[in-house]
Amino acid sequence: MDTRVALLGIVVENTDSAESLNALLHDFRQYIVGRMGIPYHKKGINIISVAMDAPNDVISTLSGKIGMLNGVSIKTVYAKV
């Protein structure tokens, strides 16, 4: 199965959604290469980047589910290779 490398850029403005977000990331853990979270206290947000290597439909599914969380924004960038 062909896979793609992608970076998910996530901004969490509503910390009540953090538990749901972490549950989703846990469910897709087999495709996650790495993740980094940065709390930005000055603005009251959290910034998370997630590197994935997965089939396109898996990346799209996770991105869509995260995007439906209250107070959470996401953008996905795909590698050209």
Side-chain angles (χ1 to χ4, degrees), residues 5-38:
V5 174
L7 177 66
L8 309 180
I10 305 165
V11 176
V12 181
E13 297 179 54
N14 180 2
T15 55
D16 291 339
S17 295
E19 187 174 340
S20 298
L21 174 59
N22 282 325
L24 283 171
L25 294 175
H26 178 77
D27 291 345
F28 287 80
R29 67 189 176 278
Q30 70 192 64
Y31 302 106
I32 294 176
V33 176
R35 71 187 251 191
M36 175 180 64
I38 303 167

Side-chain angles (χ1 to χ4, degrees), residues 6-81:
L7 177 66
L8 309 180
I10 305 165
V11 176
V12 181
E13 297 179 54
N14 180 2
T15 55
D16 291 339
S17 295
E19 187 174 340
S20 298
L21 174 59
N22 282 325
L24 283 171
L25 294 175
H26 178 77
D27 291 345
F28 287 80
R29 67 189 176 278
Q30 70 192 64
Y31 302 106
I32 294 176
V33 176
R35 71 187 251 191
M36 175 180 64
I38 303 167
Y40 189 20
H41 300 293
K42 181 178 176 182
K43 297 287 185 176
I45 62 173
N46 294 290
I47 303 162
I48 303 167
S49 61
V50 178
M52 296 183 71
D53 185 3
N56 195 52
D57 61 329
V58 172
I59 296 168
S60 296
T61 298
L62 177 58
S63 182
K65 289 182 177 192
I66 291 172
M68 291 189 305
L69 295 175
N70 183 34
V72 178
S73 302
I74 183 167
K75 292 292 180 185
T76 304
V77 179
Y78 293 91
K80 291 182 181 182
V81 292

